[in-house]
Amino acid sequence: MSDRISAETVTKVARLARLDLTPEEIERTTAELDGMLEHFADIDTLQLDDVVPMTQPYPLENVFRDDVIVPGLDRDEVLAVAPAVEDGRFRVPPIIGLDA
Amino acid sequence: MSGRDGLPGEWQLVVGLEVHVELATVTKLFSASPNRFGDEPNTNIDPVTLGLPGALPVLNRQAVELAMRVGLALNCTIQPCAFHRKNYFYPDMPKAYQISQYDQPLNIDGHLELPDGTRIGVERAHLEEDTGKSTHFGGSGGRIHGSDYSLIDFNRAGVPLVEIVSRPDIRTVDEARQYVNELRGILLAVGASDAKMEEGSMRVDANVSVHKPATPLGTRCEIKNVNSVRSLGRAIDYEARRQIDLLESGERIRQETRHWDEGDGRTHTLRTKEDADDYRYFLEPDLVPLAPSQQWIDAVRAAMPMLPAARRARLAEVTATASNSEAAMVVVERGQDDYVLAVAAAGGDAARALVHVKEAFADSPSVPAADLAKLTTMEVSGKLTATQAKAVVAELIANGGGDAAQIAAAKGFEAMETDALGSLVDQAIAENAEAWSKFCAGEGKAMGALVGAVMKLSHGKADGKAVTALFNQKKG
């Protein structure tokens, strides 16, 4: 078992992503995520007190678009590739209840 | 035995409000599809709206400007900020995340002053995108609980929102209502939104908890689906009492999101509240930071219109009434304060103009300011009684203006000269000796009978105020 990430955390994250993982998949995913977190442990060893956290690698800010309409997508074309459609809208399974 | 707001015992209400406002832009926050209410479902969509692979968001400058106006109107500090992804799984959000602002919001640390002077803190007002609209079918009649399936319209997905988060400074249902009304007035004044609760362009969620004085704040529940100011009051009151009942029977409050049901007048569990951690916020890598320059902020500030509070204060000063009087509130809300000021500028009596506009101008009729000014002048100089003035105002409205003196003459409203009035007063005293002696003995209530007698004798033509003054004069 990992000491960087627990099976409980993986189970919780899977639930938030609405992924239904088997106990075997939880175990395997925990090991895989642990391997990824090991890379971050390397960063933890560095002295970074004086480094300003970076939010973006590009030397850019304030990139804007003017408030002008540009034609978008055709509804029929979009709905034609949806799994289920009704009355011009996307039809989806019940929403509440996924938490249960 | 009863606490503030009629709650039992010592219980006190604590409310914070989260108000989502759709900004009045032409296009969406991160894409060029129309931001338009009421179109055919799924006609205002594009790759960004639908979260199609490879689609990239680009920030709408006008949305930022409107959000800055909101921030400035709420006395916030505008700061350099960034966008985050808020991850949660819900079918009305095709990307499975909402682009929002997290620990670096655009506007922070402001406040809103209620008309009664109470100051409610504003923690933040940040930019984010709206979700699509779900309609639930089957199950128990269109309600979200137990529905069989849902239909999704993505026209609203990506519409720019400002979420305005108050501090938990609200202590009564009335303050909550005042806050929402005042906020709505501000949003309309700065042109940020049409702020229609019934169309969902202004949505209010209430964080409600109860506690006793000198004890820590209680666990809060977030109430959603409140669609009017009236419902807001009902929902907060219901929720406070529900929590008090639980606490008094020794139970604990579970932190959760609850759904207000207008039909049964109750709140119902929607979901247990997810922690901020559960949303797995991280910086939106597809957007660069936003840092409005001081120059831009100054320009937005310079273009700000007068806000409702300042307009009420100005009206109050000119009309010599309280700035939170019903008349001042109503007339400013209707945007008729400039008209009242114009009547005053045309030589009219501002206080009488305020009353007439409040009482009779609900449908915003057009009467030249000079015409109403003339009427108010006749009224205050005693040429017309309040009742007669009302009738003349109705005529002015019906005709879109006119000469108040001619209308009054045509209606036979001739004010009684003071001499004539004096003799009627004497007659009333003679015929109501008992009332007169009571009045002279200091019984103020007896005045009513005396004035009534003069009114009867004058066939309603006497000016009540002048008559009262004459009685007081005679009493000495």
Side-chain angles (χ1 to χ4, degrees), chain B residues 180-245:
Chain B
V180 172
N181 282 329
E182 188 67 6
L183 182 57
R184 186 167 178 276
I186 289 170
L187 293 166
L188 290 171
V190 302
S193 174
D194 62 7
K196 290 180 181 166
M197 282 186 84
E198 66 279 11
E199 285 184 8
S201 60
M202 178 170 178
R203 304 193 284 273
V204 181
D205 300 333
N207 283 301
V208 177
S209 67
V210 295
H211 77 139
K212 291 187 173 179
T215 64
L217 294 185
T219 303
R220 67 177 194 270
C221 290
E222 183 178 352
I223 314 301
K224 288 188 175 290
N225 194 44
V226 177
N227 297 321
S228 67
V229 173
R230 185 171 167 271
S231 300
L232 175 69
R234 289 178 68 204
I236 292 173
D237 189 64
Y238 172 83
E239 179 60 19
R241 289 168 196 278
R242 185 190 73 86
Q243 293 182 12
I244 291 168
D245 283 350

Side-chain angles (χ1 to χ4, degrees), chain B residues 70-78 107-111 122-125 301:
Chain B
V70 174
L72 291 174
L74 296 174
N75 309 288
C76 289
T77 302
I78 296 175
N107 302 297
I108 56 163
D109 288 339
H111 65 263
V122 171
E123 191 178 308
R124 57 191 284 155
R301 194 190 301 275

Side-chain angles (χ1 to χ4, degrees), chain B residues 40-67:
Chain B
E40 277 291 299
N42 292 308
T43 49
N44 300 330
I45 56 175
D46 57 70
V48 172
T49 300
L50 294 178
L52 298 184
L56 289 172
V58 186
L59 184 57
N60 180 340
R61 181 198 311 268
Q62 177 67 6
V64 176
E65 177 141 344
L66 293 180

Side-chain angles (χ1 to χ4, degrees), chain B residues 115 182 307-338 340-341 350-351 353-359:
Chain B
E182 188 67 6
L307 298 179
R311 285 167 51 180
R312 287 195 302 265
R314 183 180 61 168
L315 185 64
E317 198 183 322
V318 173
T319 58
T321 48
S323 65
N324 64 343
S325 70
E326 197 198 336
M329 300 281 296
V330 167
V331 167
V332 168
E333 194 184 320
R334 289 194 207 135
Q336 295 168 327
D337 46 324
D338 281 339
V340 172
L341 298 179
L354 176 64
V355 171
H356 290 306
V357 169
K358 186 225 163 200
E359 298 291 337

Side-chain angles (χ1 to χ4, degrees), chain B residues 331 333-336 339 357-358 360-367 397:
Chain B
V331 167
E333 194 184 320
R334 289 194 207 135
Q336 295 168 327
Y339 176 72
V357 169
K358 186 225 163 200
F361 282 56
D363 301 324
S364 299
S366 165
V367 174
I397 289 171

